[in-house]
Amino acid sequence: MDVPDSPRLRFRRMSDDDLDLMESLLGDPVVMTHYDHPKSRSECQGWIDWNLRNYARDGFGLWIIETGDGDFVGDCGLTWQPIDGESLEVGYHVLPRHQGKGFATEAARAATDFVRRRGGVDHVIAIIDPENTASVRVAEKAGLGFWKRADYHGREALVHRADLTTHPQSWPKSP
């Protein structure tokens, strides 16, 4: 199966069997602080269904990320988002007990490297709530620099970007 690789994390496709894991992640108020609300169990199933469709259509989506010994960390991957038409976003969510360990950065780098090797896309973005300073740090450490502010589903967002045709460049820091 075609998934990213990284030194400390395993990536795998989501399945319906992951509903409890995804509910523990996306239903967590800390993880979802910068979203409208924590997701319900049925919304988590919708998240899985969306990713199953993404895998079938694109060959990628958000993947489950686990430590080498199988401990669930969160999700990370690539999805098309409505920024400048459509742009490929690298997204990530990490359980609170695994935050601050560098897993989100490692996963975001692996996803970015995955799409760079795969080809066909000249850049990736990360869409970040302006108040989410931790996510800004992850994006910047993963090689995505501030690009612009944008309206995303009726809310202001910071959009970070990495050019995949060259090595990560030095982009301006977030405002």
Side-chain angles (χ1 to χ4, degrees):
M1 188 174 356
D2 203 16
V3 297
D5 59 358
S6 79
R8 299 182 300 158
L9 298 171
R10 295 187 315 209
F11 290 72
R12 65 174 177 79
R13 289 184 173 197
M14 286 181 202
S15 74
D16 289 331
D17 293 338
D18 294 313
L19 181 56
D20 289 342
L21 294 177
M22 293 311 297
E23 185 178 24
S24 72
L25 179 70
L26 301 177
D28 187 294
V30 173
V31 173
M32 301 305 284
T33 297
H34 299 284
Y35 288 78
D36 291 338
H37 62 277
K39 293 191 180 301
S40 68
R41 188 167 179 84
S42 65
E43 289 171 317
C44 291
Q45 182 62 58
W47 188 266
I48 292 170
D49 295 343
W50 172 57
N51 280 288
L52 296 176
R53 290 190 303 274
N54 289 339
Y55 303 148
R57 183 189 68 215
D58 304 320
F60 53 79
L62 293 165
W63 296 284
I64 297 288
I65 52 175
E66 302 168 324
T67 62
D69 62 2
D71 191 17
F72 177 62
V73 172
D75 71 358
C76 180
L78 304 157
T79 59
W80 293 102
Q81 297 295 330
I83 298 289
D84 283 0
E86 273 201 325
S87 291
L88 191 58
E89 181 191 28
V90 58
Y92 38 85
H93 302 97
V94 172
L95 286 170
R97 70 186 164 148
H98 287 302
Q99 292 175 3
K101 298 178 181 179
F103 288 142
T105 300
E106 183 174 327
R109 281 183 184 148
T112 301
D113 289 343
F114 170 86
V115 74
R116 180 181 284 120
R117 286 190 310 271
R118 187 179 172 106
V121 177
D122 66 356
H123 69 276
V124 293
I125 63 169
I127 304 166
I128 305 169
D129 182 294
E131 301 297 315
N132 193 344
T133 57
S135 188
V136 167
R137 282 192 308 275
V138 167
E140 290 176 349
K141 288 179 184 176
L144 289 85
F146 177 73
W147 180 34
K148 66 180 186 174
R149 292 179 181 270
D151 178 75
Y152 182 68
H153 298 299
R155 297 173 69 176
E156 181 185 31
L158 303 177
V159 182
H160 281 59
R161 177 179 162 144
D163 180 358
L164 299 181
T165 61
T166 62
H167 290 288
Q169 299 176 357
S170 176
W171 292 77
K173 296 292 183 199
S174 296

